[in-house]
Amino acid sequence: MTTTILLLIVGLALLLAGANFLVDAAIAIAQRAKISNFIIGIAVVGIGTSLPELFVSVASAAQGMGDMAVGNVVGSNICNIFLILGVTAIITPFAVTRQNMARDIPFGILVSVLLLLLCSDTLFPRITQNEVGRMDGIVLLLIFAGYMALAVMHSHKEAKSREENEENATSRLAGKPALLTWAIAIVSLVALLYGGNLFLDNTVTLARQWGASDKVISLTIVAVGTSLPELVTCIIAAMKKAPQLALGNVLGSNIFNILGILGVSSLVKPLVLTGINIFDFGVMILASILTFVCAFTFKRRAIDRHEGIIFVAIYIAYITSTIIFS
């Protein structure tokens, strides 16, 4: 048990150090390239921290486990919004920009609904099985490429906007050579992902030693553990006054999870679904919708502590209901 606890501490240290330097590097890259923190949050942090989900879903698809591949994405997206955005808002409330409201959040809602439709083939006449096929995967990847191209095209304008400048984000790597900054970003991302995996593995081992059941472990520790890189990165980004980086991380992860991860996974092998849970899809869509609604409640165009508490409470209720009714 001593070795397990020691490795757990090492994993946590790697998580914190990796996230800390990754956020510094991301801010420095955004400032040097004169693009918004939100875009860096999507393109570098969001996609980078979603690599574990990519590996899991692709491996599941290759083994013919379509439900696992899609369930991994749905569960991750629910956790990203309700738990990660919720905790981040409780620590540091953050603004939602006009661009987020006009483009990014509605797009997240759209792709969530699109995933539900792609996974519901049996609703249409003469179709007997639910499947995300290779053609679906190509469409998903093309949509993702189009979204990223549009976001990057508008990124310079967003970086100069008053809303972005109000963040006053600072970085210890500001002014450092570009090559060094990118190298630190990559090394930090590797440390973040490895630390998260090490922390998760040893937490599961410790829980088993304390007598927790596999069902409880999988639905609680594993569900939250696989999102630890995003969670720690968002918290540190918020503390460094870069909340748009945190928001970009979450929205970018969710969009990439659906369009990128399932797009690639379905190209490896069509994702045949046998146990679609409409409730889980509904919660995922609800999470995206509530992110938009929060811009108009309490403090306008912001996600504040009240909403953060509500988000976390919803996540706890969701996990509890999943454990009870699974």
Side-chain angles (χ1 to χ4, degrees):
M1 184 177 289
T2 303
T3 303
T4 302
I5 294 174
L6 180 61
L7 290 174
L8 189 149
I9 294 171
V10 171
L12 182 60
L14 285 172
L15 261 173
L16 295 173
N20 198 13
F21 280 101
L22 178 61
V23 170
D24 274 337
I27 293 171
I29 290 168
Q31 291 174 344
R32 175 180 289 273
K34 296 182 179 179
I35 60 178
S36 68
N37 285 340
F38 182 82
I39 297 302
I40 290 296
I42 292 176
V44 178
V45 183
I47 293 176
T49 54
S50 286
L51 289 178
E53 286 91 341
L54 175 63
F55 298 147
V56 170
S57 288
V58 169
S60 299
Q63 296 174 36
M65 296 187 293
D67 285 325
M68 179 71 74
V70 175
N72 173 46
V73 164
V74 171
S76 177
N77 283 16
I78 292 171
C79 181
N80 283 349
I81 291 180
F82 283 141
L83 179 64
I84 295 176
L85 268 191
V87 170
T88 304
I90 290 171
I91 294 172
T92 306
F94 55 89
V96 179
T97 69
R98 289 188 180 92
Q99 198 66 49
N100 297 150
M101 293 168 61
R103 182 194 65 201
D104 306 304
I105 298 175
F107 188 74
I109 298 171
L110 178 65
V111 297
S112 296
V113 173
L114 175 62
L115 177 60
L116 173 60
L117 294 176
L118 289 179
C119 294
S120 305
D121 297 325
T122 54
L123 294 177
F124 300 93
R126 294 187 294 276
I127 299 180
T128 58
Q129 80 176 4
N130 295 312
E131 177 183 280
V132 181
R134 288 192 170 93
M135 187 56 66
D136 296 327
I138 292 172
V139 171
L140 291 176
L141 290 173
L142 288 175
I143 294 173
F144 181 68
Y147 169 75
M148 288 303 301
L150 179 65
V152 171
M153 282 171 54
H154 290 89
S155 63
H156 292 284
K157 185 185 297 185
E158 292 170 29
K160 294 176 183 178
S161 71
R162 180 172 177 269
E163 293 167 322
E164 181 72 20
N165 291 333
E166 281 179 348
E167 290 185 10
N168 296 319
T170 57
S171 169
R172 291 172 294 177
L173 301 177
K176 300 294 183 183
L179 187 61
L180 174 63
T181 306
W182 276 102
I184 290 174
I186 293 170
V187 172
S188 299
L189 181 59
V190 171
L192 182 69
L193 298 178
Y194 180 73
N197 189 55
L198 192 63
F199 182 86
L200 175 60
D201 287 346
N202 286 280
T203 302
V204 170
T205 299
L206 203 59
R208 285 197 175 122
Q209 290 175 350
W210 288 343
S213 69
D214 284 347
K215 182 175 95 169
V216 171
I217 290 172
S218 64
L219 291 174
T220 55
I221 296 172
V222 174
V224 176
T226 53
S227 292
L228 273 176
E230 286 96 333
L231 176 60
V232 177
T233 301
C234 280
I235 291 172
I236 290 179
M239 293 172 65
K240 288 178 179 287
K241 298 182 180 179
Q244 278 288 300
L245 187 67
L247 185 60
N249 178 19
V250 168
L251 296 184
S253 289
N254 282 14
I255 291 169
F256 178 70
N257 283 351
I258 294 174
L259 300 179
I261 291 178
L262 292 184
V264 172
S265 299
S266 60
L267 290 182
V268 172
K269 191 172 183 178
L271 307 175
V272 178
L273 306 173
T274 58
I276 287 183
N277 190 326
I278 297 297
F279 175 71
D280 293 324
F281 280 108
V283 174
M284 179 183 69
I285 295 170
L286 175 66
S288 298
I289 292 173
L290 286 182
T291 307
F292 185 79
V293 171
C294 283
F296 301 97
T297 58
F298 296 107
K299 184 178 178 182
R300 288 181 61 83
R301 290 179 54 204
I303 298 180
D304 57 26
R305 288 190 174 91
H306 298 93
E307 290 150 341
I309 292 169
I310 292 170
F311 274 20
V312 173
I314 291 173
Y315 187 73
I316 292 172
Y318 168 72
I319 289 296
T320 302
S321 66
T322 301
I323 293 173
I324 293 173
F325 298 109
S326 64

